[in-house]
Amino acid sequence: MSRYSIFSLARNALTGHRNWPKAWRSPNPKPAYDVIIIGGGGHGLATAYYLAKNHGVTNIAVLEKGWLGGGNTGRNTTIVRSNYALPGNTLFYEHSLKLWEGLSQDLNFNVMFSQRGVINLAHSDGQRDAYKRRGNVMRINGIDAEYLDRDEVADMVPLLDTSPDARYPVKGGLLQPRAGTARHDAVAWGYARSADSYGVDIIQNCEVTGIDIENGRAVGVQTTRGAIKAAKIGTAVAGHTGHLGAMAGLRLPFETHVLQAMVSEPLKPCLDMVVTSGVAHAYISQSDKGELVFGGDLDFYPTYAQRGNFPRIEEVVETMLTMFPTFSRVRLMRSWGGVIDMTMDGSPIICKTPIDGFYIDGGWCYGGFKATPGSGWVFAHTIANDQPHELNERFTLKRFETGAVIDERGAGATAHAH
Amino acid sequence: MVDLNLSRSALDGVFTQGAFGAAGDPGVTLSERRGGALLDLSTGDIDATRRAIATQFGVDLPTKSGRTATGDACRALWTGPGHWLIKTAPKPNLERAWADAARNSAVNDVTHGRIVLRIKGPSARDILAKGCPLDLHPTAFPTGACAQSLIGKINVTIDCLDADEFDITTGRAYAKSLWAWMTGAAAEYGYRVE
Amino acid sequence: MTGQVFRNGAGGRIDRTVPLSFTFDGKNYQGFQGDTLASALLANGVRVVGRSFKYHRPRGILGAGFEEPNALVQLGDGARTEPNTQATRVELFDGLTATSQNRWPSLQFDISAINGLFHRLLPAGFYYKTFMAPANLWMTYEKIIRRAAGMGRAPTQMDPDIYARRFAHCNVLVIGGGPAGVSAALAAGQSGARVILAEDNPQLSVSETELADMDNVTVLTRTMAAAYYDHNTLILSERIADHKPAPAPFETRQRMWKVRAQQVVLATGALERPLVFPNNDRPGVMLASAAQCYAADFAVRAGNQAVVFTNNDSAYGAARDMKAAGIDIAAIIDTRPEISDSTRELATNTKVLTGHAIIDVASGRGGATRGVTLKAIHPDTGAPKGSPIDIACDVVAMSGGWNPTIHLFSQSKGKIKYDGARAAFVPGQSFQQERSIGAANGTFDHEACIIEGHNAGAAAARDVGFDAPDARTSPSGIPPAAQPLWSAPTGAKRFVDFQNDVTADDIGLAYREGYQSVEHLKRYTTLGMGTDQGRTSNVNGLAIMADHRRLDIPEVGTTTFRPPFSPITLGGIAGWHTGQNFEATRQSAMSAWHEAQGATFSNAGLWRRPEYYPRTGMTPAEAVHHEARHVREKVGVVDVSTLGKIDVQGRDALEFLSRVYINNLTKLPVGKCRYGVMLREDGFVFDDGTITRLAEMRFLVTTTTTHAGPVMTHLEYLAQVQWPELDVHLLSVSEDWAGIAIAGPNSRTLLSQLFQDVDFANEAFPFMGYRETNAGGVPVRLFRISFSGEHAYELNVPADYGLNFWTALLETGADLDVIPYGTEAMNILRIEKGHVTGAELNGRVTADDLGFAGMMSKLKPFVGQVLARRDALTAKGRRQLVGLVPADGETPIPAGAQILADPDAPPPEFTPAAILGEVTSNCYSPALGHPIGLGLVEDGSDRHGDTLYAHSPITSETVAITLTNPVFVDPAGGRLHG
Amino acid sequence: MLHIACPWCGLRAQSEFTYANDGTLIRPDLSNDSIDDHYNYVYARDPRRGIQDEMWRHSAGCGQFLKVRRDTLTHEIHATGAPQDDLDVPKDDRS
Ligand SMILES: Cc1cc2nc3c(=O)[nH]c(=O)nc-3n(C[C@H](O)[C@H](O)[C@H](O)COP(=O)(O)OP(=O)(O)OC[C@H]3O[C@@H](n4cnc5c(N)ncnc54)[C@H](O)[C@@H]3O)c2cc1C
Ligand SMILES: NC(=O)c1ccc[n+]([C@@H]2O[C@H](COP(=O)([O-])OP(=O)(O)OC[C@H]3O[C@@H](n4cnc5c(N)ncnc54)[C@H](O)[C@@H]3O)[C@@H](O)[C@H]2O)c1
Ligand SMILES: Cc1cc2nc3c(=O)[nH]c(=O)nc-3n(C[C@H](O)[C@H](O)[C@H](O)COP(=O)(O)O)c2cc1C
Ligand SMILES: [Zn+2]
């Protein structure tokens, strides 16, 4: 892998940038691999990378039905944080956050991880206490968290409506200073380039259409580019997990929904933090390019179409303007959707399955972008060792049978309620 | 001593008579309808209930969505299969009387749980269309039609009394929000409050 | 220079009798009614209107409408300022002010233009390759990048304007008021169908009086169709007052239409493509159709001397119109080796150079175009050859062919296809009830557009049952020959995406580095990601990529067209529903009274509830404690109207409730209440409340305020979907009944005074009893239940009488020293009694965790019973409800604290910290005189008496606490029952 | 924006409805106390890329639950009916 740096940039400038190598190869699939990863999103690519880097497994194919990074990795609001309250989530996401902190250097690809801080606004005494409760869990687990009062929030986010007579007044907020955003596409590309440099075959336009199972063991996949054998198969297909599971005969605790996001026209810096509000669900930040990037709830009906409908956009914009009233003359530039797999407790699944050699990484609901490095790291461990790492041992399928669910919202077994 | 039997509007203190909004001829007149009684009637036995109610109260309960029927002293709005909203004159033991007639049904006096606003005037349909997803064109929603739907984010029942006259029923607790919506939506057309 | 020196004395659609003044970058100019900001700027000879995104190169006006990527201005100032506004779509009004963007300190001298010098270091995606060392400097680099990026400035003052939304329904919706659209609307209108025609411009391009006379046709001008969603729903954005300095009083600024159309006709026209050649971004280089439009519609000469550069016939018409307006056409340069005679005829007396291309554009002062250099090109490869020719000019009018405006078609899920003859993507198979016509359909012949429009309008009306005029036959539309010359030979920067500064070389780089799919190309180079969404760049960009990849254009494909078609204001989308009107507010019958007393309020779902009533001489906390203490000592009343109330009737009402509550209800007699708990299907606690048997087959059940909706939905789902055989009728009566709780030792006396016909003696009206009575002709429901743990009642009266009873209670009870109390005191009272609410009912607790195991009937099945038996719900080590008191008897227990044995334990690596539980509720107990709390603690029931720590690092508090029984006050229940 | 034909009220806008659940789920009998069967009802799902039956509620209309046969790839709605209806069998006019 040729190294990127200001020096290599200057050197290549002299030759008119004609000599940059390809960031990754486009190989044809081989007949067999040690490991096949289905899904060329951030999670799949990170898994391949850590399999190679941490576990020395390099005979890997990542199969992507479209273009790499074109799933939710390429369509999320890029918020990275580790402010969780329940065992299982806390340390996993924190581990992921620590990986983010060195990711650009590790991958030698600037993923623009911007630790600008994430504030969750509290609008009532109950929410205030809940955020303190969460912040305390974080602090006890060694994760940064601060509780801000209203005036401190107002100082950090000057355009936020913090007036006491607001419809939902801001009482304060939970700040995670190390949290922030990252350049989503760069994450996919950076992992792809590094995985490729270890010899991982990244195969785009290759859709998996079947899982071959012999004697209770997964032995290969059927794809639009032919059958491919593998000793182990892992899926990291986000919204398509239920569908992939069904190919292997598994009925999974998922529902697939569309989540929309949108950007405004680019503006000079006017919002320096990520701000989220729980009262009506909305999260807003400003990208380095200047657009306000924001999203809210699901469309609330199952779908596999990467497009949503207008009622949700109205609601998200209403929330956004209720928080930031002066943005009403700002214009919406683009909106889009991604299909996400909602689990029955809102927490992910990274585990072995009842089928030997078949592993699942999924159930990321609204929030798996932040998990990309951590998920790849533990999923690689799980596949390589055929057993979970301590960090993901609670993210099982079994937990729904035993009741050991990880339900941060306490919403119960209604997938779209999480 | 407080007069316990003095019925108070949910809009007490909000309601001011006069002309508001854009100048010129008002687009609509807004008012609150008070003094009537409302019953919610639900039955699992539609035929028997309709027969009994027709006999006792002279109204032929409609069986199709969007339909209303007017009887001796009452008006019935279809609100669901086997489910009606009855607008009638207040009487002691009204709930009991209807429950006795419509046996094996559920009757609730909901007079106090709802408010009724009237909107009347040439701009009425345009104003309602600002928050209501129904097709309110006179051919689609003629005089005598009713529907349950939304205005803004508030559940309502709309009763079309005349070409440009509607009664809007909603939950009592939403009264002030609906009023704010109505006056806000009407401001660009100009409105009178009566 | 003063005056509109580039304006002709006659012609155009402008009204010369209405002169308008405006300013651009602080300088005064004049224009006329009917001008756009762009046409007025050109009339005044203003060439440079902005700076480019990355290299900060001077930029001029490229187009005349939607397509404009360069001329984005900050409009107005103060509260009405508006960033990134396309000057080509801004209607001029008197007093308009506009400012250029993305330059500092001024448009003429922009410091960041220095980026241009380093441009070699800034190829596409350079930032991915650098700024990585040292790692901790990234946040500093990022600040600089952020400051350089962005374009206009967001307003920082409250928007004074009003926005509205509305719904509309029609039989036929026509988008686009050009010849095709107008003809479609007319044909549909004649059939009697309800028609809406939307056109972005201030007027239709064809004046049509017949349309205006049709009652069944609504013509919306200044209205852009922004989105085409499922089930033929389109979003239109109407600008009602943007062409004026400010809206009139009460006038809406913008209205968003949500139209459900049975049939849609898309007549959105076509947009001209630029050509890609060196320095094609110089101010003065513009689309031929734009130069034509300024000449014909605004009588504005885009310059004095023009070179027309084209690969197709349409630019000849443009040249003719420009010439007619007095622009000297120095030459028409056509990349095609040959042109037809008829085309050549259009250019009589004009020099035409076929088989030539521009290889450079020279710039003069301020960067504006001064001349071009051309060369002959090889007919097959496009490679330049021969000696260069220089031509002086101040305008280059270019035409690279036409792209049908297929954005909405594509949003509707219609399949687009590539049409080689037109060298463009055109609509293919429709997915919804939709027809594309005219230039939007690749039909560029004027007559053919009109006929296609007529036929589509008539067919659409016919499809929904109207009698429509017959179809007319169309001359077979022969597309103008266009030779796709996508990128002229290398040299200086050749811009593809003007707004985002993406050049042909950037596309080459993306190709070489493997970002070859159009989607990667877009994201790596930002091609097509600007406010114009690549309207002028996408097809050129992917054609260049196709060329590198040696693929045909359709094989490379396009990126996805997404809403909105062109940006729309957030204010318009939100309409009424922002600020106080974001969501409805629910208010009880006593709200106004609470407000008048100066109570503070909190939100519970949509409800507003009084927290406490301020008292002179007391701090808020003291006032709350006073209220709570007073209830225990005397009597207080609290508004509990917000509790969910569900009327349950029917022959199977009891059976139904037995299935949904964990309690055994069979022995519940008429006239009695019971405390009940519901589980979710997954076995965790859903909600709690009371069940009162009003009559043999009629019950009233209550829910918590916030769960009222979800509980009702859950019950309806079971009743309607799972157990339709049960005869049960459910009705939410929450708002029908005002609810008042009367609590405290004097409550019985107080109620006996008000309701003299009710026997309040313990035997006659025991704890958990229910009575109905009548006071002053008003029906009253009385429940002897208690949330506070005091001797208490709840009273329900029809809501319109709620305030009467509230005030009557306060008046009657004056001697008994009755006071009102709010949710804060109520919260203290319930904590003192160990009653749970939202903080404990967190969706993760079992009935057993809360000490409700005893309530669970073993005699009957109920919802949640089976999954509540799962291992993890029954295992040891679950967190159980406990009371908490500070070990020192005085230190407050921190809100939101976690409970652990060793607050000093170091943070763990992979195994979660040993947290034993959490503080769910906390308060100072006036009754006990010290702080107390409730918590959920591992095996808490077995730990009463243990001392642990309530640890709150986030507030730097750590308090030793002793675990106790959660019932602090009157554990024996003497007060309740007495 | 979806438009759903309520079997009782006719074609109405999406905002009047709420999605409730998979439309094929049948709650285990009251007498059934198998954790597995309840697990299947409460947790396990069969995702369908394409046409599936769903339960919606006309929450801002008649309040009735309705079965909706909808394509999860295109959002086309092919049929609607009462919760107990078999959507393969065409329905008469309802009241
Ligand atoms: C609008 C939106 C906003 C979000 N915001 C945030 C946020 O702010 N923060 C956050 O942390 N998370 C967020 N998320 C969630 C986050 O984007 C995802 O959880 C995360 O990106 C998932 O990564 P992945 O690699 O698992 O999936 P993806 O990136 O979706 O990758 C899965 C890949 O699998 C491929 N695939 C599917 N089926 C097959 C098949 N049969 N054969 C081959 N390949 C297949 C897909 O094409 C896809 O490329 C958001 C999601 C959305 C949609
Ligand atoms: N000579 C050529 O090559 C050539 C090329 C293109 C067009 N033309 C001529 O242009 C005309 C085409 O007629 P037409 O009616 O098809 O198109 P048109 O361009 O005349 O009209 C389209 C109209 O749609 C409006 N519009 C586009 N998108 C919109 C949206 N989203 N919302 C609201 N309005 C929108 C535009 O403002 C425009 O007024 C014919 O006269 C044709 O000859 C000629
Ligand atoms: C964080 C983020 C920022 C984005 N910024 C822009 C932008 O500036 N301009 C733009 O056109 N699209 C932007 N997009 C949206 C993409 O163009 C695109 O819509 C999204 O990646 C989904 O892909 P699709 O629309 O091709 O399906 C952004 C997307 C994300 C996730
Ligand atoms: Zn209905």
Side-chain angles (χ1 to χ4, degrees), chain A residues 60-387:
Chain A
I60 305 174
V62 177
L63 309 182
E64 166 54 52
K65 70 172 175 173
W67 40 283
L68 71 86
N72 294 340
T73 302
R75 47 190 77 240
N76 73 90
T77 46
T78 79
I79 301 168
V80 174
R81 56 186 173 89
S82 63
N83 52 1
Y84 285 79
L86 294 184
N89 281 338
T90 38
L91 293 182
F92 167 76
Y93 285 106
E94 175 59 9
H95 181 64
S96 194
L97 185 58
K98 285 185 182 139
L99 291 171
W100 275 109
E101 291 178 316
L103 197 60
S104 293
Q105 289 71 28
D106 188 23
L107 299 179
N108 178 234
F109 201 103
N110 191 349
V111 299
M112 303 185 185
F113 178 46
S114 168
Q115 293 181 286
R116 54 181 70 181
V118 172
I119 298 181
N120 299 129
L121 300 176
H123 298 277
S124 65
D125 293 353
Q127 278 185 352
R128 178 198 61 205
D129 291 357
Y131 281 135
K132 285 187 176 173
R133 218 170 276 135
R134 193 201 286 194
N136 282 326
V137 172
M138 293 165 65
R139 289 281 286 267
I140 293 166
N141 279 291
I143 305 166
D144 63 318
E146 289 170 24
Y147 189 80
L148 307 177
D149 64 22
R150 185 180 66 113
D151 293 345
E152 290 168 314
V153 172
D155 278 351
M156 285 189 167
V157 194
L159 293 181
L160 181 72
D161 182 359
T162 49
S163 55
D165 56 353
R167 174 70 182 84
Y168 291 106
V170 171
K171 300 261 170 152
L174 180 67
L175 169 71
Q176 185 178 24
R178 285 163 61 240
T181 59
R183 175 77 184 93
H184 55 288
D185 295 316
V187 175
W189 302 336
Y191 272 118
R193 175 167 164 268
S194 292
D196 177 89
S197 75
Y198 280 104
V200 172
D201 282 358
I202 298 165
I203 301 163
Q204 302 184 66
N205 299 311
C206 177
E207 176 169 1
V208 171
T209 53
I211 313 277
D212 295 332
I213 298 170
E214 282 170 16
N215 306 321
R217 185 169 183 92
V219 296
V221 294
Q222 298 293 322
T223 80
T224 48
R225 296 176 70 171
I228 310 175
K229 295 239 161 286
K232 293 178 175 180
I233 298 166
T235 86
V237 292
H240 303 271
T241 313
H243 182 64
L244 254 294
M247 287 181 197
L250 301 172
R251 291 185 80 214
L252 299 175
F254 287 121
E255 238 175 49
T256 294
H257 285 259
V258 66
L259 178 60
Q260 300 194 68
M262 56 215 91
V263 284
S264 75
E265 296 184 337
L267 302 165
K268 289 293 175 196
C270 57
L271 174 60
D272 296 333
M273 327 275 304
V274 180
V275 182
T276 85
S277 164
V279 67
H281 197 192
Y283 32 96
I284 304 162
S285 66
Q286 188 175 20
S287 80
D288 284 352
K289 228 174 115 238
E291 305 91 27
L292 297 167
V293 181
F294 52 107
D297 272 323
L298 304 173
D299 268 26
F300 288 135
Y301 49 83
T303 171
Y304 282 88
Q306 275 178 343
R307 63 202 303 264
N309 274 296
F310 200 60
R312 178 60 55 223
I313 292 187
E314 288 180 309
E315 218 147 296
V316 173
V317 172
E318 288 162 9
T319 311
M320 147 96 163
L321 289 190
T322 300
M323 294 165 69
F324 294 96
T326 63
F327 287 156
S328 72
R329 298 178 93 84
V330 168
R331 282 181 288 251
L332 178 76
M333 180 166 81
R334 189 175 171 101
S335 63
W336 63 91
V339 294
I340 63 182
D341 44 352
M342 300 297 299
T343 56
M344 294 290 180
D345 63 356
S347 292
I349 289 166
I350 313 179
C351 66
K352 302 167 55 169
T353 68
I355 298 160
D356 285 341
F358 185 61
Y359 308 82
I360 288 182
D361 168 301
W364 292 103
C365 304
Y366 290 76
F369 178 66
K370 64 173 104 66
T372 306
S375 157
W377 200 88
V378 299
F379 198 37
H381 179 103
T382 307
I383 294 173
N385 300 300
D386 198 35
Q387 63 176 39

Side-chain angles (χ1 to χ4, degrees), chain A residues 4-6 9-10 13 17-18 20-24 67-68 75 86-87 91 104-105 108-110 112-116 125 129 132-133 135-137 139-142 146-147 159 165-169 174 183 185-186 189 204 265-269 271-272 280 286 288-289 294 306-310 313-314 317-322 325-337 389-391 394 400-405 407-408 410-413, chain C residues 79-85 102 120-121 123 127-132 135 138-139 142 146-153 155-159 161 163 165 229-230 235 253 256 258 411 413 509 512-513 515-516 519-520 522-524 529-531 533 560 562-564 567-571 573 577-580 582-585 603 606 680 682 824 842-844 870-873 895-898 907-913 918-920 951-954:
Chain A
Y4 291 158
S5 68
I6 182 72
L9 202 60
H17 298 288
R18 310 226 127 249
W20 288 109
K22 280 208 175 359
W24 52 81
W67 40 283
L68 71 86
R75 47 190 77 240
L86 294 184
L91 293 182
S104 293
Q105 289 71 28
N108 178 234
F109 201 103
N110 191 349
M112 303 185 185
F113 178 46
S114 168
Q115 293 181 286
R116 54 181 70 181
D125 293 353
D129 291 357
K132 285 187 176 173
R133 218 170 276 135
N136 282 326
V137 172
R139 289 281 286 267
I140 293 166
N141 279 291
E146 289 170 24
Y147 189 80
L159 293 181
D165 56 353
R167 174 70 182 84
Y168 291 106
L174 180 67
R183 175 77 184 93
D185 295 316
W189 302 336
Q204 302 184 66
E265 296 184 337
L267 302 165
K268 289 293 175 196
L271 174 60
D272 296 333
Q286 188 175 20
D288 284 352
K289 228 174 115 238
F294 52 107
Q306 275 178 343
R307 63 202 303 264
N309 274 296
F310 200 60
I313 292 187
E314 288 180 309
V317 172
E318 288 162 9
T319 311
M320 147 96 163
L321 289 190
T322 300
T326 63
F327 287 156
S328 72
R329 298 178 93 84
V330 168
R331 282 181 288 251
L332 178 76
M333 180 166 81
R334 189 175 171 101
S335 63
W336 63 91
H389 187 270
E390 274 169 280
L391 285 172
R394 291 170 201 247
F400 301 99
E401 286 163 46
T402 63
V405 291
D407 188 350
E408 295 262 350
Chain C
R80 286 204 165 92
T81 192
E82 208 184 338
N84 304 335
T85 311
N102 211 36
R120 279 189 221 291
L121 284 178
Y127 30 81
Y128 302 124
K129 297 185 173 114
T130 174
F131 302 131
M132 284 179 282
W138 165 244
M139 292 306 290
E142 191 194 35
R146 285 189 64 198
R147 242 178 268 145
M151 297 201 297
R153 293 183 190 283
T156 55
Q157 297 173 30
M158 283 300 283
D159 191 338
D161 291 341
Y163 299 84
R165 316 195 283 225
Y229 284 103
D230 288 333
I235 306 302
R253 177 190 174 209
M256 204 188 57
K258 298 180 269 185
Q411 284 180 26
K413 286 173 72 74
L509 177 66
R512 289 192 294 282
E513 292 198 90
Y515 301 92
Q516 297 185 351
E519 302 289 3
H520 285 150
K522 158 180 157 172
R523 288 159 178 82
Y524 191 59
M529 296 183 80
T531 60
Q533 291 286 291
T560 308
R562 292 280 193 183
I568 53 177
T569 58
L570 299 181
I573 296 172
H577 294 285
T578 64
Q580 283 298 335
F582 166 56
E583 286 187 313
T585 306
N603 294 303
L606 297 178
R680 297 187 307 229
D682 66 0
E824 293 280 327
N842 62 14
R844 293 185 293 269
R870 285 178 294 171
D871 293 347
L873 280 74
Q898 295 295 328
E909 189 179 2
F910 291 139
T911 315
E918 63 187 15
V919 175
T920 52
H951 186 42
S952 176
I954 204 160

Side-chain angles (χ1 to χ4, degrees), chain C residues 373-387:
Chain C
T373 307
L374 24 142
K375 275 192 175 181
I377 53 169
H378 190 281
D380 299 327
T381 62
K385 54 180 191 185
S387 43

